[in-house]
Amino acid sequence: MTKVQKITLSPSRDIPFNKLVLSQSNVRRVKAGVSIEQLAESIAQRTLLQSLNVRAVVDGEGNETGMFEVPAGGRRYRALEFLVKQKRMARTQAVPCVVREGGIAEDDSLAENDERVGLHPLDQFRAFKTLSDAGLSEEDIAARHFVTPAIVKQRLRLASVSPKLHDVYAEDSMTLEQLMAFSVTADQARQEQVWENVCRSGHDEPYQIRRALTENTVRASDRRARFVGIDAYEQAGGAVERDLFQHDDGGWLLDVALLDRLVTEKLTAEAETIAREGWKWITVAVDFPFGHAMGLRELDGKPADLTAEEQATIDALNAEHAKLESDYQDADELPDDVDRRLGEIEAALMAFEERSISYDPVDISRAGVFVSIDSEGRLSVDRGYVRPEDEAPREDPAVGQDAHTSSSGGQGSGSPAVQRTAISVAGGAADTEDDDEDAARPLPDRLITELTAHRTLALRDALAENPAIAFQAVLHNFVLTAFYRFSSTGSSLEIGLRTPTFPAQAPGLRESVSAKAVEARHESWKARLPKGEKDLWDALTALNGTAQASLFAHCASFAVNALYEPANRYNQGRVSAHGVRTRLDQANVLARAVGLDMVQAGWRPTVDNYLGRVTKPRILEAVREAKGESSVQLIDHLKKGDMAKEAERLLDGSGWLPEPLRLADPSASSVEQEGETGCLPEFLADDEDQENAGDDDAQQLDAAE
């Protein structure tokens, strides 16, 4: 039997500091880790926690000299030396040492450093948590361990993550970055639920974890949060989650209902202030859909006059802007301070351009205001819109001034009657019935009709012989409809330009590229056209052929109707499946003619506009068409909400479009004989089967919509 040799440990003894010298055998040459000054401060707070490794210094004959060299523990020796120089420790202070004999000094030094193992990050998180629970503040912990308070906050936040996830991290089944992502919420049950989902799906990137944990919150950068202010939200009792490990734009607001209530209250308070101006109605909403002012007449206000001081400021800003652009016109990139100053100048000039507008008091008494929030979270006030029912009745020549006085509340044009402004939230004011007008006619109606019938036929014949005038007449009619919606002159052509409304407002429609382009083009033409319709004919005549054609196309575009409108009990008399198919087929012809591409138009599939509103098979079908079966297998096990979010990520940039947005193949026309549905697109065929459903089915369809 082999005899095991027992180990003998080196003895330890206390040696006065002035008997110690630093050995040249210490292998550490490069500075790293905690500084000597910080280590000295730690020794002053806690005393020496680890002995020095020393060897006796011998003379030429091998006799001990009473001095000891330090080959392992050189940084501790220098820290003690620093305390002695500061006179915080005596030179003869006894220092605990382990006295080594035999072996190689360099080997001891190397082994001591090689065998040192730093704390696992999780142990540090938990240790900081223990110190915090013991009553130490974040600043105290930071000072004692030579880190910043921000790092202590991060470590304490990581320590608050679910213990189950700590165990996963300790087993190296989760990265530190993933653990950081879970710290955005304090809800440990939610953390565990999300981990179960992401670890099975493979979509466990930190950004995906953060997105899953904050899906039911509102970012602090949201327009609503910026409008109310984070401080006001928190003072009202709202909680905010923040990410301590990366830029989070201010965090996430947890109480969405509270935020919406605060937004509504603040908007309503602003509306009440605006109501003192005397408007008839004010409509309040976080955001208004595209085309919300269609059918309303916009008042022409007069900007407030600039004072001499304001005009001087504008001139100085313009001069400074021009000088900066001239000085740096050849620079590849503007310096940060110059770029910032140019932005400040442009913002100041824009503020002057957006100065208050004054309106006639009589106009104010019959017009209204839209109050909302812009994309930057600022209050947006859009004044001066008159509803058709609020238009002043046309003066009757036989009645004269009395009629005008009556319509103005009996106080003349400059003194409208005092009225209470009707403020509505996310809706319009109550409708009122138009007053009937029965103007006296010098001739009987039938006689005038018979006479004008002759004139109409003659005018038709004459117009047909002059194509150029016919084009301008149609253009004139279109412009009257598109730009002068309440024209008092009317048109002699029975050509209607009907702009269909959108019965369902698609998410993001108002901010879409197409909507902004249409609005910009309309405003550009509006600025070029005369204020009154009486001068319109002459203005159109002055345009060249290219400009007339461009304006004609702009007006005609308002009549485009490529909407699918399902039949139900409310519109069975005017909508049929055949009519819908014909309209969509004609829309396809027009789309091919203009080269319409919805991808280039800015549409992409998102949770809000498509993926979150269709069934799971539809989501998987979209991913399969765009990315293949392998991508489908990544998400087919997820719940509907998670599947939609991951599908949005997978489809981003793929150019995939749902069937209603694709450019149909002209060879596969859906216009068949009435009653046939074999060639219908799938998204229409489902509705064809329900066209003749009974009232019960119609009620279910309405509820679903």
Side-chain angles (χ1 to χ4, degrees), residues 275-314:
R276 298 172 190 159
E277 300 172 12
W279 301 98
K280 183 172 184 179
W281 54 267
I282 298 177
T283 301
V284 173
V286 173
D287 190 21
F288 289 103
F290 173 73
H292 68 283
M294 294 290 285
L296 306 183
R297 177 171 63 87
E298 186 175 0
L299 296 178
D300 292 324
K302 180 182 178 182
D305 294 333
L306 292 170
T307 64
E309 182 180 355
E310 290 173 333
Q311 186 60 55
T313 301
I314 292 175

Side-chain angles (χ1 to χ4, degrees), residues 5 68 246 251 256 304 311 319 350 377 379 401 491 495 502 591 632 679:
Q5 184 177 3
F68 295 83
Q246 67 175 24
V256 182
Q311 186 60 55
M350 184 177 296
L379 181 68
Q401 180 62 33
S491 175
I495 298 177
F502 301 122
V632 170
C679 294

Side-chain angles (χ1 to χ4, degrees), residues 59-253:
D59 58 17
E61 298 178 356
N63 299 319
E64 293 187 5
T65 62
M67 299 295 291
F68 295 83
E69 63 179 1
V70 184
R75 296 180 68 254
R76 278 164 278 157
Y77 173 84
R78 291 188 181 280
L80 294 172
E81 185 181 46
F82 182 79
L83 292 174
V84 170
K85 289 180 179 179
Q86 288 187 323
K87 301 187 182 303
R88 299 171 68 184
M89 191 180 86
R91 293 184 58 84
T92 57
Q93 173 69 49
V95 179
C97 301
V98 174
V99 182
R100 288 278 291 134
E101 295 180 359
I104 303 173
E106 287 84 356
D107 183 60
D108 291 348
S109 178
L110 180 62
E112 183 180 86
N113 288 281
D114 282 345
E115 295 166 5
R116 179 185 297 134
V117 178
L119 279 178
H120 189 283
L122 185 58
D123 292 328
Q124 186 192 44
F125 308 158
R126 290 169 172 168
F128 278 10
K129 180 68 164 55
T130 301
L131 295 178
S132 178
D133 293 342
L136 271 67
S137 68
E138 295 168 352
E139 290 73 16
D140 291 337
I141 297 173
R144 292 175 66 87
H145 293 276
F146 312 111
V147 294
T148 64
I151 290 179
V152 176
K153 289 178 182 291
Q154 292 177 340
R155 302 299 185 263
L156 293 176
R157 176 70 67 84
L158 290 171
S160 68
V161 175
S162 166
K164 291 184 178 179
L165 299 189
H166 281 171
D167 294 341
V168 175
Y169 173 54
E171 296 169 358
D172 293 331
S173 297
M174 178 190 297
T175 66
L176 179 59
E177 288 73 20
Q178 289 173 316
L179 189 67
M180 291 176 179
F182 280 106
S183 71
V184 299
T185 178
D187 188 344
Q188 295 185 352
R190 178 61 177 157
Q191 294 170 354
E192 295 169 8
Q193 178 188 25
V194 170
W195 173 246
E196 289 296 325
N197 290 336
V198 301
C199 70
R200 288 199 308 266
S201 67
H203 299 300
D204 55 358
E205 293 294 328
Y207 79 90
Q208 294 170 318
I209 294 172
R210 287 185 177 89
R211 185 174 63 186
L213 290 169
T214 58
E215 62 182 351
N216 295 321
T217 63
V218 173
R219 292 196 74 99
S221 57
D222 184 273
R223 69 173 75 185
R224 293 169 292 173
R226 297 170 72 175
F227 177 67
V228 171
I230 301 298
D231 292 341
Y233 166 79
E234 290 182 317
Q235 290 174 5
V240 179
E241 288 179 341
R242 292 183 170 87
D243 192 338
L244 299 183
F245 300 95
Q246 67 175 24
H247 182 63
D248 61 4
D249 291 329
W252 295 267
L253 282 65

Side-chain angles (χ1 to χ4, degrees), residues 212-478:
L213 290 169
T214 58
E215 62 182 351
N216 295 321
T217 63
V218 173
R219 292 196 74 99
S221 57
D222 184 273
R223 69 173 75 185
R224 293 169 292 173
R226 297 170 72 175
F227 177 67
V228 171
I230 301 298
D231 292 341
Y233 166 79
E234 290 182 317
Q235 290 174 5
V240 179
E241 288 179 341
R242 292 183 170 87
D243 192 338
L244 299 183
F245 300 95
Q246 67 175 24
H247 182 63
D248 61 4
D249 291 329
W252 295 267
L253 282 65
L254 303 184
D255 197 336
V256 182
L258 172 63
L259 175 64
D260 288 337
R261 178 173 64 80
L262 294 175
V263 170
T264 300
E265 290 175 353
K266 186 173 180 180
L267 280 174
T268 303
E270 296 286 355
E272 290 172 350
T273 301
I274 298 170
R276 298 172 190 159
E277 300 172 12
W279 301 98
K280 183 172 184 179
W281 54 267
I282 298 177
T283 301
V284 173
V286 173
D287 190 21
F288 289 103
F290 173 73
H292 68 283
M294 294 290 285
L296 306 183
R297 177 171 63 87
E298 186 175 0
L299 296 178
D300 292 324
K302 180 182 178 182
D305 294 333
L306 292 170
T307 64
E309 182 180 355
E310 290 173 333
Q311 186 60 55
T313 301
I314 292 175
D315 294 340
L317 290 172
N318 283 325
E320 183 182 358
H321 192 281
K323 184 178 185 305
L324 289 174
E325 285 191 332
S326 176
D327 292 344
Y328 294 94
Q329 61 181 348
D330 297 328
D332 294 334
E333 186 175 352
L334 291 175
D336 291 341
D337 56 337
V338 174
D339 186 54
R340 182 171 55 254
R341 179 53 185 163
L342 286 173
E344 294 172 351
I345 294 174
E346 291 170 357
L349 291 173
M350 184 177 296
F352 281 111
E353 293 178 0
E354 295 176 354
R355 63 189 185 278
S356 60
I357 306 294
S358 60
Y359 299 93
D360 186 281
V362 174
D363 289 336
I364 291 178
S365 67
R366 64 170 63 99
V369 183
F370 294 103
V371 178
S372 61
I373 308 173
D374 68 13
S375 59
E376 300 297 324
R378 298 169 299 200
L379 181 68
S380 175
V381 181
D382 202 4
R383 293 175 171 85
Y385 290 90
V386 182
R387 293 168 173 163
E389 62 268 27
D390 296 330
E391 289 289 350
R394 227 179 273 175
E395 286 189 17
D396 190 331
V399 179
Q401 180 62 33
D402 292 340
H404 177 74
T405 303
S406 175
S407 68
S408 301
Q411 299 181 29
S413 61
S415 303
V418 177
Q419 63 180 354
R420 181 178 178 82
T421 303
I423 300 177
S424 59
V425 178
D431 293 337
T432 59
E433 295 182 359
D434 289 335
D435 295 333
D436 293 333
E437 293 184 6
D438 188 13
R441 295 180 180 273
L443 294 174
D445 292 344
R446 181 171 179 174
L447 176 58
I448 297 176
T449 301
E450 292 175 355
L451 294 174
T452 54
H454 287 280
R455 188 172 185 271
T456 299
L457 284 176
L459 186 56
R460 287 181 182 177
D461 182 60
L463 189 63
E465 295 294 331
N466 198 324
I469 297 300
F471 172 83
Q472 183 168 327
V474 175
L475 175 60
H476 180 264
N477 179 276
F478 281 6

